[in-house]
Amino acid sequence: MKLKRQKKAKQIVKIYKTLFKFHAPYLVLVDGTFCQKAVMKNIDVKDRISSYLESEVTCCTTKCILAELELLGPDFHHAKLIAQKFQLRHCEHKDKAVPAADCIKSLLGDVSKGRFFVATQDKGLTKFVHNVPGTPLLYIEPHRNTVVLEKPSKKTEQAKEEISQSKLDVSASQVAKVQPKDAESSTKRKRKAKGPNPMSIKKKQKN
């Protein structure tokens, strides 16, 4: 079962690598809800995700995520300790922290800020991620001790088709540019074809 899940995840990751330019080590933006679920399921977040994707990963957090976990109090203390170990990514909320979900939303879709996997259990954030093409989503199954990479959303599938079609159009255009040159060179070769040897014609006339 584990091998089957990993094989499926590998196929999904290949889509993001090929069409959306993701590369290892993958950046995984992890929110507090995911950390809290990992505490409940006794999951080592980085090791489990890395093992599942069969690749090195860099788990990331922001000041807003950490601030939200702090506000949630003692029940989320261990989740905060997990998040504090992650790489801190700079967000635009330097003066005042915003809800973690809003902070994560601000980092998505702008490749200059990074190409992120998002790890969350938040249904509202999940819905938002579905509408951002090329954003992989990770979650922990509610009734199992399992991390899952969700299949590409409809928006991602649409973007995938558009990118694939664009590549086909470029290839067709390149072929069209090459073909006339080939035809022209072929015509030139035909023009250069030599006629019969004049000396051989003279010899025949003498006989």
Side-chain angles (χ1 to χ4, degrees):
M1 187 68 178
K2 181 182 177 182
L3 291 175
K4 187 177 180 181
R5 286 192 305 104
Q6 286 181 318
K7 185 178 179 181
K8 187 176 180 181
K10 194 171 184 178
Q11 292 171 343
I12 295 171
V13 169
K14 187 177 180 181
I15 294 171
Y16 292 106
K17 285 176 64 178
T18 306
L19 299 178
F20 298 99
K21 300 181 180 179
F22 278 72
H23 59 81
Y26 301 117
L27 299 176
V28 184
L29 200 50
V30 187
D31 76 352
T33 64
F34 193 93
C35 290
Q36 181 68 355
K37 181 63 75 172
V39 170
M40 295 167 63
K41 297 287 186 179
N42 196 27
I43 291 174
D44 184 308
V45 175
K46 183 178 179 180
D47 286 351
R48 184 64 64 87
I49 294 175
S50 180
S51 174
Y52 175 49
L53 298 181
E54 297 182 308
S55 176
E56 285 295 317
V57 301
T58 300
C59 290
C60 308
T61 188
T62 68
K63 288 183 178 180
C64 295
I65 294 172
L66 295 175
E68 183 174 270
L69 286 169
E70 181 69 32
L71 287 172
L72 289 171
D75 290 343
F76 285 77
H77 176 68
H78 291 292
K80 185 185 74 173
L81 292 179
I82 290 173
Q84 286 175 335
K85 296 177 183 178
F86 300 156
Q87 183 187 93
L88 188 66
R89 303 294 292 194
H90 296 290
C91 63
E92 57 193 32
H93 315 111
K94 296 178 181 178
D95 298 327
K96 186 179 179 180
V98 300
D102 291 340
C103 183
I104 291 171
K105 290 174 185 178
S106 73
L107 293 173
L108 301 181
D110 184 353
V111 295
S112 66
K113 296 177 181 178
R115 300 179 188 278
F116 295 103
F117 284 68
V118 175
T120 184
Q121 303 297 117
D122 185 319
K123 291 182 179 179
L125 181 56
T126 295
K127 188 175 181 180
F128 179 87
V129 171
H130 286 163
N131 288 301
V132 182
T135 306
L137 184 72
L138 290 158
Y139 66 92
I140 299 171
E141 286 191 340
H143 306 296
R144 298 178 65 185
N145 190 21
T146 306
V147 173
V148 177
L149 174 61
E150 194 173 78
K151 67 179 183 179
S153 66
K154 289 182 180 180
K155 289 286 185 181
T156 294
E157 287 289 356
Q158 288 172 3
K160 173 186 167 185
E161 293 300 322
E162 289 171 6
I163 293 170
S164 298
Q165 185 59 50
S166 176
K167 287 184 176 182
L168 286 174
D169 291 343
V170 169
S171 297
S173 175
Q174 290 173 341
V175 170
K177 288 179 181 178
V178 171
Q179 283 179 337
K181 292 181 180 180
D182 290 345
E184 186 180 342
S185 62
S186 176
T187 303
K188 287 181 179 179
R189 285 197 296 271
K190 287 180 181 179
R191 287 176 181 174
K192 288 180 180 179
K194 295 181 179 179
N197 189 334
M199 297 300 293
S200 63
I201 293 174
K202 288 180 179 180
K203 288 179 181 178
K204 286 181 181 180
Q205 288 177 345
K206 286 180 180 180
N207 293 334

